[in-house]
Amino acid sequence: MRKVKVALLGATGSIGKSTLEILRKYRDRFELIAFSVHNNLEGFQRIVEEFSPKIGVITGAAELISPPIRTLYGREALIEVASLREVDIIVVATAGNMGVYPTIFGLKSGKRVALANKETLVSFGQIVIDEYKKSRGELIPVDSEHSALFQLTEKYGDQMEELILTASGGPFRNMSREEMEKVSIDDVLKHPVWRMGKKITVDSATLMNKGLEVIEAHWLFNLSPDRIKVLIHPQSILHGLVKMKDGAYLAHMSYPDMKIPIQYALTYPERWQCDFVSLDLSSLRPLEFYGPDTNRFPLLKLAYEALSFGGIMPCVMNAANDVAVESFLKGEIRFLDIEKVVFATFDSFVKESVPGKLSLEALERFNSEARAKATETVTRIKN
Ligand SMILES: NC(=O)c1ccc[n+]([C@@H]2O[C@H](COP(=O)([O-])OP(=O)(O)OC[C@H]3O[C@@H](n4cnc5c(N)ncnc54)[C@H](OP(=O)(O)O)[C@@H]3O)[C@@H](O)[C@H]2O)c1
């Protein structure tokens, strides 16, 4: 049987490592052809030794003295890998904006793009979806909520009324604003359910992560913001629900482990055994659901506003949040300062918000300007 050939971008991250577990388990069916890291050279070497890929990419500042395989550098290298003829599936699991390039070029060259990277759709959604519609490529979401909704809407999408994304609520779901004033970096990084990279873990604590997911869902499922809802569900067993026109709900349940949606994106439309984890329904504690409190978590509300404004605003919001989270993780600002930075940046750009379609270059320019503006606010807060 011909092996499915995979390029894994962001191979040393949380999603990257889970993807490698699947490739390891199904060595007879998948072959890792190419991969990328940002600066993690140890991780680079380990992947080369274990999987013998043909090409490695380094997107950060790091360099290898005597590379063990063909090694390429930077953004252009991601585009080259995404366009390789022999690759069937590209898993885009990089952090940050760079994911948009392999996504677009993967789609252009008719490949399956298994998309984990959120920034790609949040900041550049219109461009990616336009490219997807023109291409022969496939766009399969990896984010657990979007994977759930992808599975639910595939058959009945034309009969649905609204989509519901669930959220664990993060570590502070029951905390007051006064208590949130005092939380430490370690408190923020202790997610009650998911083990993920640091950036997304901070976003889960502010609920910005869910806001970004609402924007992703808008592009993936072509729904207006008022038809995409969020429900807090601390146990994270139901990942997505679809409310049908007749009032019935369809729901997707699984153990909260990213290997399940990653594997589905790799094997779609087939389902292969995934015995890393299983869900024992009879031992579940009661499942709870309640609406999000946007007074305590205002970034979720802001994400809806950004989506309604459209144009540059989701990109601006995402850039500001990126800078704010980076600064928080460096200990430069406090937890609640994250939203101050994002709101201040949002407010300064909203007046010049340009409606309608923008080019990738224009969005990248606004992204850089928003980062610069957010950095100014961080500096003001620090001093
Ligand atoms: N973790 C999850 O459960 C989860 C769920 C849904 C969606 N996502 C999304 O998937 C993406 C990856 O998340 P993660 O949690 O796996 O992140 P992570 O653990 O921080 O890993 C990020 C990966 O991307 C590389 N990287 C870092 N900065 C980069 C940059 N500027 N350009 C290109 N590559 C870069 C890293 O390389 P080095 O190791 O060399 O730094 C690493 O391989 C994010 O967009 C996240 O929102 C994650």
Side-chain angles (χ1 to χ4, degrees):
M1 193 199 299
R2 180 187 175 275
K3 287 187 186 179
V4 175
K5 298 186 191 307
V6 177
L8 172 57
L9 311 179
T12 40
S14 156
I15 295 286
K17 285 179 190 153
S18 293
T19 308
L20 289 175
E21 270 194 68
I22 296 162
L23 302 190
R24 191 175 288 126
K25 176 172 173 194
Y26 285 110
R27 273 181 187 284
D28 52 334
R29 301 178 81 169
F30 290 119
E31 182 181 352
L32 184 70
I33 295 286
F35 72 103
S36 83
V37 306
H38 199 52
N39 281 316
N40 184 344
L41 297 183
E42 257 178 56
F44 186 101
Q45 298 284 6
R46 269 201 305 275
I47 291 169
V48 170
E49 277 158 31
E50 184 179 355
F51 291 92
S52 308
K54 292 185 180 162
I55 302 177
V57 173
I58 299 174
T59 48
E63 268 186 60
L64 280 169
I65 310 279
S66 47
I69 56 166
R70 186 171 166 226
T71 303
L72 307 170
Y73 292 89
R75 185 175 98 178
E76 293 306 312
L78 290 184
I79 294 176
E80 184 173 337
V81 162
S83 312
L84 282 177
R85 253 227 189 131
E86 63 180 314
V87 169
D88 302 304
I89 303 180
I90 304 160
V91 180
V92 181
T94 51
N97 276 351
M98 243 197 250
V100 69
Y101 296 97
T103 301
I104 288 178
F105 281 84
L107 291 171
K108 266 189 203 295
S109 58
K111 298 188 176 35
R112 171 175 303 179
V113 176
L115 183 62
N117 175 270
K118 286 177 205 268
E119 292 81 355
T120 293
L121 283 176
V122 171
S123 297
F124 311 106
Q126 183 74 63
I127 294 166
V128 172
I129 294 302
D130 286 351
E131 198 56 59
Y132 166 58
K133 284 183 186 156
K134 280 192 286 185
S135 76
R136 287 174 297 107
E138 293 174 295
L139 186 61
I140 316 274
V142 165
D143 222 340
S144 55
E145 296 78 1
H146 303 84
S147 171
L149 294 170
F150 175 76
Q151 295 171 55
L152 291 168
T153 54
E154 212 186 1
K155 197 159 171 200
Y156 301 109
D158 56 338
Q159 296 166 64
M160 70 181 168
E161 198 167 277
E162 62 186 36
L163 295 179
I164 300 158
L165 299 156
T166 57
S168 72
F172 310 139
R173 66 170 184 270
N174 296 321
M175 256 192 200
S176 66
R177 298 275 299 176
E178 291 70 36
E179 287 168 311
M180 282 187 232
E181 285 281 1
K182 296 177 208 127
V183 297
S184 68
I185 298 177
D186 283 351
D187 296 332
V188 175
L189 293 180
K190 269 185 222 130
H191 195 279
V193 184
W194 299 96
R195 297 287 154 262
M196 311 178 283
K198 287 184 181 174
K199 158 73 169 54
I200 184 173
T201 306
V202 178
D203 286 344
S204 295
T206 59
L207 286 201
M208 176 50 104
N209 182 48
K210 216 41 62 178
L212 300 179
E213 290 181 3
V214 167
I215 300 174
E216 279 185 277
H218 161 75
W219 292 114
L220 285 167
F221 305 109
N222 190 25
L223 283 187
S224 54
D226 58 310
R227 293 176 67 197
I228 305 169
K229 302 277 158 62
V230 169
L231 201 55
I232 305 294
H233 166 44
Q235 295 75 23
S236 299
I237 297 295
L238 265 78
H239 304 294
L241 298 99
V242 176
K243 184 178 179 193
M244 307 304 288
K245 283 182 181 159
D246 61 3
Y249 284 83
L250 305 182
H252 178 282
M253 300 169 77
S254 74
Y255 187 85
D257 187 313
M258 285 307 296
K259 288 192 279 300
I260 298 174
I262 296 169
Q263 181 171 304
Y264 185 70
L266 292 171
T267 64
Y268 170 82
E270 292 175 22
R271 287 178 191 270
W272 297 359
Q273 209 180 355
C274 187
D275 50 13
F276 302 105
V277 281
S278 69
L279 179 63
D280 177 7
L281 287 176
S282 63
S283 69
L284 282 182
R285 284 173 299 150
L287 302 181
E288 301 160 90
F289 301 95
Y290 48 91
D293 179 350
T294 52
N295 291 324
R296 282 189 301 128
F297 298 99
L299 288 178
L300 174 58
K301 194 166 165 218
L302 188 74
Y304 275 99
E305 279 175 36
L307 180 54
S308 301
F309 271 109
I312 62 170
M313 292 321 292
C315 178
V316 164
M317 181 193 71
N318 180 59
N321 182 58
D322 217 39
V323 169
V325 172
E326 249 170 57
S327 308
F328 169 73
L329 286 170
K330 283 189 209 149
E332 294 173 345
I333 59 173
R334 289 167 307 161
F335 179 66
L336 287 185
D337 292 332
I338 295 173
E339 64 190 45
K340 284 188 197 149
V341 174
V342 180
F343 273 95
T345 313
F346 190 94
D347 291 344
S348 67
F349 278 80
V350 80
K351 289 177 251 29
E352 53 176 302
S353 173
V354 188
K357 293 189 183 186
L358 287 125
S359 66
L360 189 53
E361 294 70 30
L363 282 169
E364 284 200 313
R365 205 177 53 247
F366 280 110
N367 180 69
S368 304
E369 287 175 17
R371 290 186 71 91
K373 194 85 196 161
T375 306
E376 278 174 24
T377 311
V378 167
T379 310
R380 250 199 323 278
I381 293 174
K382 267 193 329 193
N383 301 327

